[in-house]
């Protein structure tokens, strides 16, 4: 039995599962999650091939496949729909390929029930912690992993309009252009390791493009529509409003390496853009939290210099206790101030498991603030980042290239500085119902309005109105002009499920939330928090008496991450097989790994100082010395026993993570 956790786009609508054995296809059915789990486990116990796809988070799924025979290849095929994003005239899609290790906040053990219905002792803050934390390979075995889990793409891009250029900020591409509107795209390096997200962008030729597009799909007598409306850009001079901006920066262990440098550079650039009439503060967090100033201060030269020193000295270490920092940033001491814009800029990789606690904090504490999330690194938790930004009526900016922080920061600065479109409303005919998102969010420079709706017929209009730069704005689309397309019904259903899930923060009873999610997912044959896809082959294949061996597939560490910074020195030692060192060395390393972090005064600039990992370096050196001595003893033993390798050498050769000689014994 293989168990594989894998990421998908946060708005993906997963609706198809096939188990493929040679030329045989076994199609999956959608069932309530608990029922699907029972069906799967019964089939697995009976020796039948069985496949199961379950949602752990909207961007994290698990596939289980039972009764794979010795030497047998069995494939799992899934299908999903997702929307491409339009931003400042550039379309893009992001496909996540690695699950970043997620921090599980501490809590007293208690009896908990996870989404599969299992009850046991666990973490009440994250009941399904074991479901979202698959094993992670140490980087030393990543070359082998890239061969075991190769990733490649075969992309047919049909843009519908002439394409000016096609790029990827994450991978090198091989592009063929049959005509102006289409492209065939693959990876230049063919198979690549699953250690970073894949991002594809394409830009249409400039532009006689319409300001609005409307697409439709008919299903069971109803029409589902996707609208993309590009508001005009109005440049109004002299309307810049003063801002109070609170910058929150994550300096936990998962940010170690490239991510920390990205975050610091982006924040320093943002500080440079503040005007003297603005106010600001900086909060940093790992498993502790510091506020640079007790309250927001004027953005004068002295305060900015203090902030830049604070940011420059940050180091990544410790856990990711995000909730206290978020709550502190949302505290508004001047809630009745209508002259000043209040913005919270949250810079993190989002690698947490307690997303629900954060969403509730945003809903309860937002007030007049606007929350802007900045995703850092090669594999940010986009589900958390996008939903938090949507709830916070801000934007999500993704920075994954350490060499292009300034360029990628430009989008964030534009959103922070340009007037927003507010008071957005959708006015429809009686034929139209269930429009999502609801309510419509505020919009910023370069962003389109994207929404999905359901209509019983196409005899009306869809009108959007709002205020842009203080002026009235509206646009009207005729439903009858919608162009046929595919997948829109599934996108609408996914958006409806998201809307139902978010209604819990407005006081809707959880039983009603569950009922709405379950009905929508079953009606549209989709995987959700409460539904799963299960596929069963009726013919038993495992001989009676043979044991079913379960293996959980390990994921790669995201590109640029530091294993020891995330999991600690002791985990690094276990991965390197250094845990058999002399007791005095182990004691020194364990003390370093478990010592408490200093509790700095929030009002001061005292920060942990840079230090070399001398204990780990010493451990590696001692290992090499011990290994040399063991190798010499092994060679002598091999001569004395006429080529019989001693048991210690056999164990070393059979363990791929142990340092082993390239030449055997004598």
């Amino acid at each position: 039995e293989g168990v594989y956790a894998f990421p998908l786009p946060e708005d993906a609508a997963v609706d198809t599962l096939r188990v493929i054995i040679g030329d045989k296809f076994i199609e999956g059915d959608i069932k309530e999650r608990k029922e699907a789990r029972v069906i799967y486990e019964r089939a697995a116990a009976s020796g039948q091939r069985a496949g199961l796809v379950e949602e752990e988070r909207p961007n994290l799924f698990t596939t289980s496949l039972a009764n794979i025979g010795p030497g047998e290849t069995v494939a799992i095929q899934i299908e999903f729909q997702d929307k491409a994003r339009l931003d400042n005239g550039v379309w893009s899609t992001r496909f996540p390929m690695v699950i970043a290790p997620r921090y599980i906040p501490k809590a007293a053990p208690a009896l908990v029930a996870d989404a599969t219905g299992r009850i046991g002792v666990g973490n009440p803050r994250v009941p399904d912690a074991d479901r979202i934390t698959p094993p992670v390979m140490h980087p030393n075995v990543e070359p082998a992993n890239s061969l075991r889990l190769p990733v490649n793409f075969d992309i047919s891009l049909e843009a519908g309009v002439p394409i000016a250029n096609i790029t990827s900020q994450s991978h090198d591409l091989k592009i063929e252009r049959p005509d102006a509107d289409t492209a065939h795209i693959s990876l230049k390096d063919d198979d690549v390791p699953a250690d970073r997200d894949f991002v594809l962008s394409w830009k249409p030729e400039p532009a006689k493009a319409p300001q609005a597009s409307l697409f439709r799909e008919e299903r069971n007598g109803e029409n589902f529509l996707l609208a993309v409306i590009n508001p005009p850009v109005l440049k109004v001079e002299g309307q810049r409003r003063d801002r109070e901006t609170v910058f929150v920066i994550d300096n936990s262990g998962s940010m170690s390496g490239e991510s920390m440098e990205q975050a610091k550079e982006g924040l320093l650039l943002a500080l440079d853009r503040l005007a003297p009439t603005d106010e600001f503060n900086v909060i940093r967090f790992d498993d502790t939290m510091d506020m640079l100033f007790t309250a927001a201060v004027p953005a004068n030269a002295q305060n900015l210099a203090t902030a830049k020193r604070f940011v420059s000295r940050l180091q990544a270490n410790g856990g990711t206790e995000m909730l206290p920092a978020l709550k502190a940033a949302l505290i508004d001491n001047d809630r009745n101030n209508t002259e000043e814009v209040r913005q919270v800029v949250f810079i993190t990789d989002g690698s947490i498991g307690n997303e629900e606690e954060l969403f509730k904090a945003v809903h309860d504490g937002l007030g007049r603030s606007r929350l802007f999330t900045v995703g850092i690194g090669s594999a940010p938790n986009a589900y958390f980042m996008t939903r938090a930004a949507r709830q916070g009526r801000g934007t999500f900016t993704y920075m994954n290239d350490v060499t292009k922080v300034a360029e990628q920061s430009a989008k964030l600065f534009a959103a922070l500085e340009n007037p927003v479109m507010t008071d957005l409303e959708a006015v429809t005919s009686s034929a139209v119902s269930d429009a999502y998102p609801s309510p419509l969010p505020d919009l910023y420079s370069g962003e389109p309005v994207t929404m999905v709706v359901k209509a019983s017929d196409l005899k009306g209009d869809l009108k959007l109105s709002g205020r842009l730069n203080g002026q009235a704005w509206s646009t009207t689309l005729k439903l009858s002009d919608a162009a046929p397309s595919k997948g829109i019904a599934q996108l609408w259903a996914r958006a409806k499920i998201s809307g139902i899930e978010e209604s819990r923060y407005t006081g809707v009873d959880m039983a009603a939330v569950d009922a709405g999610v379950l009905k929508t997912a079953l009606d549209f044959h989709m995987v959700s928090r409460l539904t799963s896809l299960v596929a069963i082959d009726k013919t038993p294949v495992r001989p009676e008496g043979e044991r079913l061996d379960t293996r959980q597939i390990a994921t790669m560490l995201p590109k640029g991450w530091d294993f020891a910074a995330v999991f600690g020195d002791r985990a690094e030692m276990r991965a390197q097989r250094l845990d058999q060192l002399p007791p005095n060395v182990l004691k020194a390393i364990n003390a370093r790994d478990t010592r408490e972090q200093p509790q700095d005064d929030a009002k001061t600039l005292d920060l942990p100082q840079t230090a070399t990992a001398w204990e780990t370096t010493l451990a590696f050196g001692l290992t090499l010395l011990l290994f040399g001595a063991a190798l010499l003893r092994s060679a002598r033993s091999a001569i004395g026993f006429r080529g019989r390798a001693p048991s210690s050498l056999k164990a070393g050769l059979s363990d791929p993570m142990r340092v082993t000689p390239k030449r055997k014994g004598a």
Side-chain angles (χ1 to χ4, degrees):
E1 179 185 33
V3 179
Y4 175 53
F6 62 97
L8 282 179
E10 61 275 9
D11 293 324
V14 181
D15 60 0
T16 300
L17 163 68
R18 295 187 184 95
V19 179
I20 307 168
I21 311 158
D23 295 331
K24 186 175 183 180
F25 282 70
I26 307 169
E27 194 83 19
D29 292 324
I30 197 74
K31 300 286 185 182
E32 187 171 356
R33 183 167 183 166
K34 294 178 183 178
E35 180 187 358
R37 168 58 66 174
V38 170
I39 293 170
Y40 170 80
E41 290 182 348
R42 284 177 179 169
S46 301
Q48 300 165 274
R49 290 191 185 92
L52 179 69
V53 173
E54 299 171 290
E55 177 187 304
E56 316 299 347
R57 295 289 186 274
N59 64 339
L60 197 165
F61 294 76
T62 299
T63 288
S64 303
L65 182 62
N67 291 309
I68 308 168
E72 184 176 51
T73 298
V74 182
I76 287 287
Q77 176 181 321
I78 63 171
E79 295 178 4
F80 66 94
Q81 285 76 40
D82 192 24
K83 298 190 298 290
R85 275 65 174 172
L86 178 62
D87 183 24
N88 287 305
V90 178
W91 290 94
S92 66
T93 185
R94 186 176 63 85
F95 186 79
M97 298 202 297
V98 60
I99 299 171
R102 299 195 179 195
Y103 176 80
I104 306 301
K106 298 175 183 177
L111 282 177
V112 297
D114 65 15
T116 68
R118 296 181 304 170
I119 298 177
V121 177
N123 187 325
R125 296 179 66 184
V126 190
D128 60 350
D130 62 322
R131 306 276 306 176
I132 62 172
T133 51
V136 179
M137 282 192 169
H138 190 278
N140 281 6
V141 296
E142 281 185 1
N145 186 59
S146 65
L147 297 176
R148 288 168 48 200
L149 293 174
V151 176
N152 54 53
F153 287 88
D154 184 71
I155 301 169
S156 296
L157 175 60
E158 301 172 6
V161 295
I163 307 170
N165 68 319
I166 300 169
T167 59
S168 172
Q169 65 190 63
S170 58
H171 293 76
D172 293 330
L173 302 178
K174 191 161 45 180
I175 302 171
E176 299 174 5
R177 297 291 303 272
D179 55 56
D181 293 9
T182 62
H184 181 253
I185 304 164
S186 56
L187 297 179
K188 187 176 182 180
D189 297 326
D190 296 322
D191 293 343
V192 298
D195 65 350
R196 76 198 78 171
D197 293 353
F198 171 73
V199 181
L200 178 69
S201 302
W202 63 97
K203 186 174 184 179
E205 293 282 359
K208 295 177 182 177
Q211 287 298 111
S213 302
L214 191 61
F215 305 92
R216 66 176 173 84
E217 179 183 34
E218 185 178 354
R219 176 182 169 132
N220 297 332
E222 292 183 309
N223 292 279
F224 297 88
L225 299 105
L226 168 66
V228 182
I229 302 99
N230 295 304
V233 178
L234 302 178
K235 294 184 179 180
V236 180
E237 300 296 334
Q239 287 200 5
R240 184 188 188 280
R241 296 168 65 187
D242 292 338
R243 293 180 285 150
E244 176 190 337
T245 305
V246 181
F247 299 99
V248 184
I249 183 167
D250 178 353
N251 69 306
S252 63
S254 65
M255 295 283 288
S256 183
E258 291 181 358
S259 295
M260 194 72 247
E261 297 309 310
Q262 282 178 294
K264 288 160 66 172
E265 184 177 349
L267 179 46
L268 290 171
L269 289 169
L271 291 171
D272 282 335
R273 300 281 290 243
L274 294 174
T277 53
D278 293 334
E279 294 181 329
F280 79 102
N281 204 349
V282 180
I283 299 174
R284 68 105 214 142
F285 72 92
D286 45 33
D287 46 17
T288 62
M289 181 191 80
D290 285 336
M291 293 180 66
L292 178 56
F293 305 106
T294 55
V297 297
N300 57 38
Q302 180 179 351
N303 289 334
L304 287 173
T306 300
K308 290 177 182 179
R309 288 195 300 272
F310 180 87
V311 172
S312 298
R313 296 172 62 190
L314 290 177
Q315 298 174 14
N317 194 19
T320 313
E321 291 288 350
M322 190 178 293
L323 187 60
L326 177 62
K327 287 183 174 180
L330 291 175
I331 294 174
D332 183 3
N333 296 318
D334 196 9
R335 284 181 173 263
N336 296 322
N337 186 343
T338 58
E339 299 300 320
E340 195 174 57
V341 178
R342 191 174 196 276
Q343 301 167 331
V344 176
V345 180
F346 214 92
I347 305 172
T348 179
D349 55 21
S351 296
I352 54 168
N354 59 322
E355 293 99 333
E356 291 300 324
E357 289 185 333
L358 276 296
F359 297 148
K360 186 176 188 307
V362 173
H363 176 271
D364 293 347
L366 186 65
R368 68 183 178 107
S369 302
R370 296 294 179 262
L371 176 63
F372 298 79
T373 57
V374 182
I376 294 292
S378 56
N381 180 2
Y383 159 60
F384 166 70
M385 310 293 277
T386 54
R387 181 171 289 189
R390 184 170 70 243
Q391 281 192 323
R393 301 177 71 179
T395 65
F396 167 46
T397 304
Y398 175 38
M399 297 185 189
N400 77 323
D401 189 340
V402 73
T403 66
K404 298 181 179 178
V405 172
E407 176 184 328
Q408 293 172 334
S409 296
K411 175 189 174 184
L412 171 64
F413 299 148
L416 292 173
E417 295 169 5
N418 284 299
V420 299
M421 178 184 283
T422 59
D423 304 325
L424 276 170
E425 291 184 352
V427 181
T428 60
S429 66
S430 59
V432 177
S433 62
D434 286 339
Y436 297 98
S438 178
L440 290 171
D442 291 348
L443 296 179
Y444 297 82
S445 178
E447 287 195 345
V449 183
T450 302
M451 63 184 302
V452 284
V453 300
K454 182 173 72 173
S456 57
D457 59 56
L458 300 177
K459 297 180 180 178
D461 296 331
L462 175 62
K463 180 179 180 180
L464 276 88
S465 64
R467 298 192 65 79
L468 178 64
N469 289 346
Q471 302 178 22
W473 172 89
S474 66
T475 190
T476 301
L477 300 174
K478 287 188 173 297
L479 302 186
S480 58
D481 291 340
S485 188
K486 295 180 179 179
I488 296 173
Q490 300 302 89
L491 294 178
W492 176 86
R494 186 63 169 176
K496 180 179 177 68
I497 288 173
S498 294
I500 295 172
E501 293 278 23
E502 291 177 18
S503 69
R504 72 180 74 178
Y505 308 119
T506 63
V508 175
D509 180 70
M510 197 61 200
V513 171
D514 287 350
V517 169
L518 182 60
K519 183 179 187 309
T520 305
L522 290 174
D523 287 348
F524 287 82
H525 202 262
M526 282 175 47
V527 179
S528 72
R529 177 174 58 87
L530 298 175
T531 53
S532 301
L533 280 165
V534 60
I536 306 296
D537 186 1
K538 301 301 182 184
T539 306
V541 294
R542 177 161 51 91
E544 187 175 349
E546 285 289 333
R547 182 174 60 89
L548 187 64
D549 181 23
T550 298
R551 304 285 181 90
Q552 191 167 15
I553 306 300
T555 65
M556 295 188 75
L557 194 70
K559 181 179 181 292
W561 282 44
D562 184 323
F563 189 91
V566 176
F567 297 104
D569 287 338
R570 281 178 293 178
E572 173 79 18
M573 288 171 58
R574 287 193 297 271
Q576 298 289 349
R577 295 299 189 265
L578 302 180
D579 48 0
Q580 300 173 22
L581 293 174
N584 59 324
V585 177
L586 287 175
K587 184 177 180 181
I589 295 176
N590 289 338
R592 174 176 181 266
D593 195 35
T594 58
R595 66 173 180 257
E596 293 184 357
Q597 297 293 324
Q599 299 296 315
D600 299 326
D601 188 337
K603 301 177 184 179
T604 71
L605 293 179
D606 294 335
L607 294 168
Q609 300 300 305
T610 303
T612 59
W614 66 269
E615 300 96 333
T616 305
T617 305
L618 173 62
F620 275 105
L622 287 171
T623 302
L624 292 176
L625 289 174
L626 292 171
F627 169 70
L631 181 60
L632 179 59
R633 287 196 302 271
S634 298
R636 289 174 178 170
S637 299
I639 294 171
F641 286 94
R642 297 183 183 275
R644 279 179 56 197
S647 59
S648 60
L649 182 59
K650 286 182 181 178
L653 291 172
S654 67
D655 191 335
M657 295 189 71
R658 186 185 294 275
V659 179
T660 56
K662 293 184 179 179
R663 297 172 56 194
K664 292 185 179 179

